[in-house]
Amino acid sequence: MGELDSLAVAMVALRVFIAVCPSEVVAEQERLIAERRSRFDDDVRAGERVAKMIWRRLRPEPDHAAGAVRTIELEEETEKNGAEEALARRGAIA
């Protein structure tokens, strides 16, 4: 069986699984996805937070010759996505 065949079987299996799930559960998960409050969204925000922490520890030293510091601004995207709120909903302490 080829890769596309495997993908097709997985997609059919997923559709069958969703079809046999209780409609209330499916509706709730679809609502959470639309509101960007699903488990996946929480995991993405937590990953952004970890990436930010790693970046802070590994970022390059200031370039004194040029008189500038090279940094990447991650602050706004993480705050915008509400990583702290996601962790709080999951019961994690930052």
Side-chain angles (χ1 to χ4, degrees), residues 11-94:
M11 293 299 294
V12 169
L14 182 60
R15 287 185 180 261
V16 169
F17 176 78
I18 292 171
V20 298
C21 284
S23 59
E24 307 85 39
V25 173
V26 173
E28 178 185 6
Q29 293 305 313
E30 288 175 345
R31 180 183 54 79
L32 289 173
I33 290 168
E35 294 172 357
R36 301 187 64 80
R37 291 181 37 220
S38 69
R39 275 287 219 204
F40 174 78
D41 293 309
D42 291 347
D43 290 342
V44 168
R45 285 186 285 273
E48 287 175 350
R49 188 165 187 262
V50 169
K52 180 179 169 183
M53 182 178 62
I54 291 170
W55 169 251
R56 285 182 177 162
R57 291 185 184 197
L58 300 178
R59 68 179 160 206
E61 293 297 319
D63 186 1
H64 295 293
V69 176
R70 295 182 302 149
T71 61
I72 296 175
E73 289 297 324
L74 298 175
E75 198 74 35
E76 287 137 27
E77 186 64 24
T78 301
E79 288 176 2
K80 183 175 99 178
N81 288 334
E84 290 78 16
E85 293 174 22
L87 291 172
R89 280 199 310 266
R90 293 182 80 174
I93 298 175

